Amino acid sequence: MVMILHAIEPSFVSFLQVTMRERLSLWAVFCLIVAFLPSQTESIAVMSVDLGSEWMKIALVKPGVPMEIVLNKESRRKTPVAVCLKENERLFGDSALGVAVKNPKVVYRFLQSILGKTADNPQVAQYQKHFPEHQLQRDEKRGTVFFKFSDTLQRNFWQPIKDAVITVPAYFNQAERRAVLQAAHIAGLKVLQLINDNTAVALNYGVFRRKDINSTAQNILFYDMGSGSTTATIVTYQTVKTKESGTHPQLQIRGVGFDRTLGGFEMELRLRDHLAKLFNEQKKSKKDVRENLRAMAKLLKEAQRLKTVLSANAEHMAQIEGLMDDIDFKAKVTRSEFEALCEDLFDRVPGPVKEALAAAEMSMDEIEQVILVGGSTRVPKVQDVLLKAVGKEELSKNINADEAATMGAVYQAAALSKAFKVKPFLVRDAAVFPIQVEFSRETEEEDGIKTMKHNKRILFQRMAPYPQRKVITFNRYMDDFVFYINYGDLSFLNEQDLKVFGSQNLTMVKLSGVGSSFKKHSDAESKGIKAHFNMDESGVLILDRVESVFETIVEEKEEESTLTKLGNTISSLFGGGSSEPNVTEPVTDEEEVIPEAGKDQDQSEKQEESAQEKPETEEGKEGEPQAEEQKDNKEDEAETQGETDAEKPEEKSDAEKAEETEADKKSKPQKKSKISEDITVELEVNDVLDPSTEDMEVSKKKLQDLTDRDLEKQEREKTLNSLEAFIFETQDKMYQDEYLAVVTEEEKEQITGKLSEASNWMDEEGYTAGTKELKEKLSELKKLCKAMFFRVEERKKWPDRLAALDSMLNHSSIFLKSVRLIPEGDQIFTEVELKTLERVINETMTWKNETIAEQEKLFPTEKPVLLSKDIEAKRSFLDREVNYLLNKAKFAKPKPKDKAKDKNTTSTENSKANSTANSTEDAEKVIPPKSDDGETVKPAEEPPTADEKEETILELNPAENTDTESTESSKSENHIGDEL
């Protein structure tokens, strides 16, 4: 399947075409219209896509933006899953639905129902019945269906956000899930996980009620009736303790029931047919309205509106203008009539609930509440029937029926992304359909007759939790063989569901290299052929690898001395270890899970089979509870130790056991080592073939080529709009006084003439011209009007810029006069600095007066000499000079008092004049000031008063704890740089 991505911003919309009558398989048609992404997004943002059969919602998480629904270009929170492919344009959502009324052949919707289906699937035939305007044909290569387009097929290009969690119905099988993943891959999306929509709803409910979850299990049933299907899910909430992260809330899917075709769309189709019947009965036209595709599309649109209105009103008037042959249609429809039309549908409402209870092996008494999800649950009759079926006092509506799945999926996306940290909420999803491994083996009866026996081993039971890893061991095969991966017992599905389900055979696995591995390790004991399976977070089953495992017994060497051990260790560090591949390692007992209750007898009956298996649980997903659905009948032990078990004596006394234990300790120790050899695996898909790598690459390349073509078209439309807007706006400006004042009569006639010529050209040739020609026309007109626009803009900027310059001159002059009044003893600015400021003020004043005088001599139609950029440059330069002096004053240290200065001077003079013997007496007479730490302040250094004040400032403003002298030096250097 291919995703048709669409962005909320027009800048992301592009139109990609394929040549006419292009054939495209369904996996390249299914629309994941990932709409409504913001035009500017961070690369670490993640999103969720809630893909329904009729509507879709997008939620986004990025830095500074918590989980929120993204609006589309119509500012709506949800968008119809519809795409219009018509000639050279493509429309999405509501725009596509608008075209569906006029030309239904070019609008494609409700494609989810035929996703991953072969051409002979009943749902394909049902889709063709609902939408007869579309032509469906069989893909001979893959067996799926494709659309035959009479016009063009278009797709969109990649989006900035590529990490996404996508919701899928819980009843999607392996083929359908793979189809969505392939679509995402072609569209350039990185799928973090496919999450079941019912699981996403349950996660959203639990996240916002975390405080209500405790160690006591709470069972809640979510009933979700959407447009195309209905699902009932039983979820258990409780807190669990994990080794990795402590105690956290967890949700576990206990039971799922579904109805693939029960939904609001089927109700709308019934209502549409009823309206068609009413129109025919009015006999306003001799034609049958059901044969007119456009009229039926209009009736379907009216039926959708009518269903919504009848949910709140007992009756309503359906009316359509110009339904067919300019004939208007008007008829009254009551809610009772609508309920009678859908009576058989309402009878199916309790079905999914019963299936979910049966799968969970629970009763309604164990369910605490029933919560409604999905838009179709708003139909009153649905609620009445469901309430009666569940036997509760009321149905809970304490969750957003439309957006719960979207918000739950985006929470999961944030949890999976490494860029965000969220509170852990453990999720244990469940596989709706069981999966088993089947294989045949040759057995020999007592009379020597050899027969083939077919064996089945359950890999994942129904409602088995995932993600989970399993291992199956084949013990009696010593040569290459084949086994099959198929669905298990599907008897819980009715006959119609089985037909819709498709092939029950998943994959045929051919193993090669088994015989050679036995020859290579003939001296070792075989532990069987182990197949490692993984059902990942998306519910997709993967065969990770197959290996042939052998075990050897190695006698441990005698106890070595400490020096010998140290030497061996050093030797191994420098390459002294073994270089042989498949290095043996000590055998560790894998975790063995006891078979579930009620299955021991069945397992024991299979022990006599020569080819046996034992699923073993491997490491689960990190941070999640390990699944314990593993089956193990311990047949390996029965085979590898058969003779030992058969000859095992009767139980011995405790004394004998103790003696044997002591003897074992004294005997020479032995060590078991395991050797594994990878087996070559060849997979043959039996349900729906995946597109080949070549097909995927061709699709990607075609998509990129079409993207370039769409971008070119988008650029042309942008240029065309710019040219058209420039012509109309400039023609209007030529009548405004401010523009007429700056142009001569000759310029006016020239500009007006060119604009009229361009306008006429636009009407005749402009709408078919190429992008290059349109850009040249626009550039020519802008060049012609550039001088006029420049003169007008300058005159608009003069008042504000001159006022700012006058204000700066005024403040600078006042500042300079104030500084001049400071006594010489307290002056902190040098004479050079003050003269520099005075010079800048005078030069700026002179430039302003001279330039204004010169400008007043010029005509408005001439190029101005007083430029706004020059005014701003003068103001900025003067402002920089003043700020320099202000910053210096801010960080300057006050000068010492006169008395202290005199004493320091006297002391210095005396010390120079007198001899060394008299210096002691002088020092006693003149006491120099001391700092806080008691050190004498030298005459050449700053006085202590400044130090004390500086310390007080640093305490109040610890952020400014910097060296004052360094600051002054840097300020001085900056000032010099500015002057340069």
Side-chain angles (χ1 to χ4, degrees), residues 593-607 632-633:
V593 179
I594 300 175
E596 296 181 0
K599 298 178 183 177
D600 299 70
Q601 182 177 357
D602 180 65
Q603 296 292 337
S604 61
E605 291 176 356
K606 297 176 182 177
Q607 276 191 342
D632 183 358
N633 51 24

Side-chain angles (χ1 to χ4, degrees), residues 697-965:
E697 293 301 324
V698 169
S699 296
K700 288 182 180 180
K701 184 178 183 302
K702 185 183 295 183
L703 194 58
Q704 184 59 49
D705 294 341
L706 299 176
T707 298
D708 298 337
R709 182 176 173 181
D710 273 0
L711 291 175
E712 182 181 351
K713 180 180 179 180
Q714 186 181 17
E715 181 66 21
R716 181 193 174 279
E717 291 176 348
K718 182 179 178 181
T719 307
L720 179 64
N721 293 335
S722 299
L723 176 58
E724 191 174 31
F726 184 85
I727 293 173
F728 292 152
E729 291 174 2
T730 309
Q731 284 178 333
D732 180 63
K733 290 176 181 178
M734 295 309 296
Y735 293 95
Q736 299 176 12
D737 294 337
E738 59 181 351
Y739 287 89
L740 292 176
V742 298
V743 293
T744 62
E745 286 297 326
E746 182 180 354
E747 288 178 327
K748 178 183 175 181
E749 292 179 1
Q750 184 182 8
I751 293 174
T752 304
K754 285 290 185 180
L755 291 174
S756 299
E757 180 183 340
S759 180
N760 295 333
W761 178 81
M762 284 285 293
D763 295 336
E764 296 175 0
E765 305 176 14
Y767 294 100
T768 58
T771 306
K772 183 179 180 181
E773 191 174 358
L774 292 172
K775 285 185 176 181
E776 290 175 353
K777 281 284 183 182
L778 181 60
S779 177
E780 180 183 351
L781 293 177
K782 285 184 176 180
K783 184 177 181 181
L784 180 63
C785 303
K786 182 179 180 180
M788 177 185 68
F789 290 151
F790 176 75
R791 292 194 289 268
V792 173
E793 289 299 319
E794 286 298 316
R795 289 180 173 275
K796 287 181 179 180
K797 294 178 181 178
W798 283 347
D800 293 339
R801 298 289 174 89
L802 288 173
L805 180 60
D806 290 338
S807 176
M808 193 68 234
L809 286 169
N810 185 34
H811 287 85
S812 302
S813 300
I814 294 174
F815 173 75
L816 181 61
K817 291 179 181 179
S818 301
V819 171
R820 291 287 191 187
L821 296 177
I822 298 175
E824 183 178 356
D826 297 331
Q827 184 63 262
I828 58 176
F829 303 114
T830 65
E831 189 64 24
V832 175
E833 293 171 340
L834 296 179
K835 286 184 177 180
T836 300
L837 177 60
E838 183 178 9
R839 175 175 55 81
V840 172
I841 294 174
N842 294 334
E843 289 178 355
T844 304
M845 185 71 72
T846 302
W847 174 86
K848 188 196 79 166
N849 294 334
E850 292 178 353
T851 308
I852 291 177
E854 186 178 354
Q855 178 62 43
E856 291 176 348
K857 298 178 182 179
L858 300 176
F859 290 101
T861 56
E862 296 180 310
K863 183 178 180 180
V865 295
L866 180 62
L867 303 179
S868 59
K869 66 176 183 179
D870 294 342
I871 299 174
E872 180 62 24
K874 292 291 184 181
R875 189 202 66 79
S876 299
F877 183 67
L878 181 57
D879 181 60
R880 187 166 63 248
E881 290 294 329
V882 173
N883 282 334
Y884 165 72
L885 297 180
L886 290 175
N887 288 332
K888 182 177 181 180
K890 180 178 179 182
F891 295 101
K893 296 180 181 179
K895 289 187 176 182
K897 295 180 180 180
D898 294 340
K899 293 181 180 181
K901 184 176 181 180
D902 294 341
K903 290 180 180 180
N904 286 336
T905 305
T906 304
S907 176
T908 305
E909 292 175 353
N910 291 337
S911 63
K912 290 181 179 180
N914 298 332
S915 62
T916 305
N918 296 331
S919 63
T920 305
E921 297 179 359
D922 294 334
E924 293 177 356
K925 294 179 181 179
V926 181
I927 301 175
K930 295 185 178 182
S931 62
D932 290 344
D933 55 4
E935 294 182 0
T936 303
V937 179
K938 297 180 181 180
E941 294 179 351
E942 296 291 342
T945 305
D947 290 341
E948 294 176 8
K949 292 184 179 180
E950 180 64 20
E951 287 182 8
T952 304
I953 294 175
L954 294 179
E955 289 178 0
L956 294 175
N957 302 280
E960 298 179 1
N961 189 10
T962 56
D963 192 330
T964 305
E965 294 181 5

Side-chain angles (χ1 to χ4, degrees), residues 272 275-276 289 295-303 320 323 329:
R272 179 198 65 175
L275 295 178
V289 69
M296 292 301 286
K298 292 180 181 180
L299 287 173
L300 178 59
K301 184 178 180 180
E302 180 64 13
I320 303 174
L323 176 59
F329 168 66

Side-chain angles (χ1 to χ4, degrees), residues 362-595:
M362 300 171 67
S363 65
M364 279 305 305
D365 296 335
E366 302 175 65
I367 305 299
E368 296 186 9
Q369 59 177 319
V370 178
I371 301 177
L372 297 181
V373 188
S376 296
T377 56
R378 298 187 178 98
V379 177
K381 186 65 173 177
V382 172
Q383 297 183 16
D384 295 341
V385 175
L386 181 61
L387 183 61
K388 183 179 179 181
V390 298
K392 298 292 183 181
E393 293 182 0
E394 63 177 355
L395 301 175
S396 301
K397 304 173 184 177
N398 52 355
I399 195 171
N400 190 319
D402 290 327
E403 300 175 357
T406 316
M407 300 305 292
V410 79
Y411 187 90
Q412 184 71 356
L416 294 175
S417 173
K418 297 180 180 179
F420 305 96
K421 184 177 181 180
V422 299
K423 292 183 178 179
F425 201 107
L426 307 180
V427 178
R428 298 192 73 188
D429 213 329
V432 177
F433 306 112
I435 296 178
Q436 64 186 12
V437 172
E438 300 182 20
F439 54 93
S440 299
R441 63 174 178 83
E442 188 179 65
T443 60
E444 185 174 349
E445 303 294 340
E446 295 180 358
D447 53 2
I449 301 176
K450 294 183 178 180
T451 60
M452 295 297 294
K453 188 173 182 180
H454 192 69
N455 300 278
K456 297 180 180 180
R457 296 293 179 269
I458 299 298
L459 188 60
F460 291 95
Q461 293 280 1
R462 184 186 178 193
M463 305 311 301
Y466 69 84
Q468 187 180 176
R469 296 177 181 272
K470 290 289 188 70
V471 179
I472 284 188
T473 303
F474 303 91
N475 287 312
R476 289 295 182 89
Y477 287 99
M478 301 182 66
D479 205 346
D480 299 349
F481 65 100
V482 175
F483 67 90
Y484 301 86
I485 305 172
N486 300 325
Y487 290 105
D489 182 16
L490 300 178
S491 59
F492 59 91
L493 299 178
N494 57 43
E495 184 178 353
Q496 182 63 23
D497 286 339
L498 282 174
K499 293 180 180 178
V500 172
F501 187 83
S503 174
Q504 298 184 30
N505 300 322
L506 284 172
T507 309
M508 180 175 68
V509 182
K510 298 180 180 180
L511 302 182
S512 57
V514 177
S516 60
S517 67
F518 274 87
K519 293 178 181 178
K520 183 177 179 181
H521 304 283
S522 57
D523 56 342
E525 179 185 1
S526 172
K527 303 302 292 183
I529 310 300
K530 294 184 179 291
H532 297 259
F533 296 90
N534 175 27
M535 182 169 284
D536 62 14
E537 296 85 351
S538 299
V540 178
L541 181 64
I542 302 171
L543 177 59
D544 283 338
R545 68 186 189 280
V546 178
E547 59 183 0
S548 182
V549 181
F550 300 89
E551 184 178 295
T552 60
I553 298 177
V554 180
E555 293 184 356
E556 291 187 353
K557 297 180 180 180
E558 295 181 357
E559 187 68 22
E560 297 176 338
S561 64
T562 305
L563 291 176
T564 305
K565 289 183 179 180
L566 180 61
N568 293 339
T569 303
I570 296 175
S571 176
S572 64
L573 290 176
F574 289 92
S578 173
S579 59
E580 183 182 355
N582 297 326
V583 180
T584 60
E585 56 184 15
V587 173
T588 56
D589 295 333
E590 298 186 43
E591 182 181 354
E592 307 253 348
V593 179
I594 300 175

